[in-house]
Amino acid sequence: MTMEHRSHVHRVTAAAGVAALLVALAACSTPAAPSEGGGVPGVTEDTVTIGTHTPLTGPAAAGYAGISAAASAYFEYLNDNGGVHGRSIDYIVKDDGYNPANTQTVVRELVQEDKVFAIVNGLGTPTHLSVIDFLNQNEVPDLFVASGASDWNQPEKYPYTFSFNSSYVVEGAALAQYATDAHPGKKVCLFGQDDSFGAELIEGAEHVLGDDGLVAVERYAVSNPDVSAQIGALKTAGCEIVMLGTIPGFSALAIGTAAQLGWSPMWFATSVGADYVTLSGLLKDAAPQLLDGFVSANYMPGISSDWVKLFSTINDEYNDGAVFDGNTIYGMSMAYLFAEALEASGQNPTREALLEALTSGDLTGNGIVPLAFSKDSHEAYPAAGIQVVEDGVQDYVGSTYRVTDDDVEAIDAAFPPVTEEGIPAN
């Protein structure tokens, strides 16, 4: 059974103390049917229907469930202000529980039964890898995957798939460069998921530190919430900085387990598992102490930007006053980019026109550097900034790194201004 919501999704929250958290977490390629009437799938005179798979339940729901709710809220705001070329956006959100088998089921439903125009912001590396071939074989636009895996940037193999996140390689390199710049000589280690998420973070770190630069590496499986052995091994190795390639629940598990062992290294996390509000909800009263100085990579607007002020207003009005956090900013930023791409596709959008708009080089988004989409690259943001938690506030500290195959370069962030009240001009 799947959970489905249209237009608006209520945020799923998770809260537990450190000890309670440790206990709680213990607990294809069939062709799609042609569209009826031979028209553009998901497009009518009045609506454009799109869909996504995301974990509203399961081990990744904490924090991530709020992304689709935030995107839905932005689309409602957009629809109330005329939509895109007079069409409203109908966003179908289906729960896959962060389980690839469920992902395959719900994505087939979206394509074959709901006849969506595009899949937008499907979440998770192992989950989305299970459907990427199906979507490309059926020529369904597969936009802004909510994962930093490099698989999404293969335009020759997957011409319909486009990334949204800075890649794990980029974030790993940025975090390692910041560790080198700000804390020279410290022993850097890594704790990561046992799939391409963790593997690519290691690749990024070694891009800066060298093949032997990580003092110790430990991995975890999302099916096993007991990470005491891995955290104990990192402590024994004398790690002073631990890079985290973790989803939010396992970021909290790692930090909470270390605290129980009386160990407090510096934590450097990728953006996908670093949202302060989400982690505070998991770590509860211990959060202010355990997260002070917490370092993370990011590429979305910071808390003092005009984008965040706009999104906060939208959240209050269209998202039932849900907790406003980094996942909210992420979801609304992604939704804005889809609206921008749809507007650029013209009065009568087709899937082909949508892809042409994406690769034109004309879209801006609202990230830390201009979008990098082109005919030859489906990478959104080839850079990441560094955020640090100080006195309960998570914000940029001024370090932004652009990562290439040959170099890691310090650059200035360049967030674009808000125009037209955050609504792409028709």
Side-chain angles (χ1 to χ4, degrees), residues 55-136:
L56 301 178
T57 58
Y64 290 169
I67 292 174
S68 56
S72 295
Y74 174 84
F75 287 136
E76 289 186 31
Y77 166 75
L78 178 70
N79 293 344
D80 281 353
N81 286 275
V84 178
H85 294 302
R87 293 182 178 88
S88 61
I89 308 300
D90 185 8
Y91 191 39
I92 304 175
V93 178
K94 295 198 176 187
D95 179 26
D96 66 3
Y98 204 64
N99 181 318
N102 294 342
T103 307
Q104 293 178 37
T105 298
V106 300
V107 167
R108 283 185 172 79
E109 290 174 356
L110 288 165
V111 172
Q112 296 173 333
E113 298 176 17
D114 299 305
K115 304 288 193 298
V116 295
F117 180 55
I119 297 294
V120 180
N121 207 222
L123 192 147
T125 300
T127 48
H128 202 74
L129 282 173
S130 74
V131 295
I132 188 173
D133 288 314
F134 169 79
L135 293 171
N136 279 267

Side-chain angles (χ1 to χ4, degrees), residues 138-164:
N138 286 281
E139 300 182 348
V140 179
D142 177 23
L143 309 186
F144 317 144
V145 182
S147 155
S150 60
D151 302 83
W152 328 131
N153 180 25
Q154 299 185 73
E156 291 188 3
K157 183 177 182 181
Y158 298 125
Y160 288 83
T161 298
F162 291 77
S163 70
F164 185 71

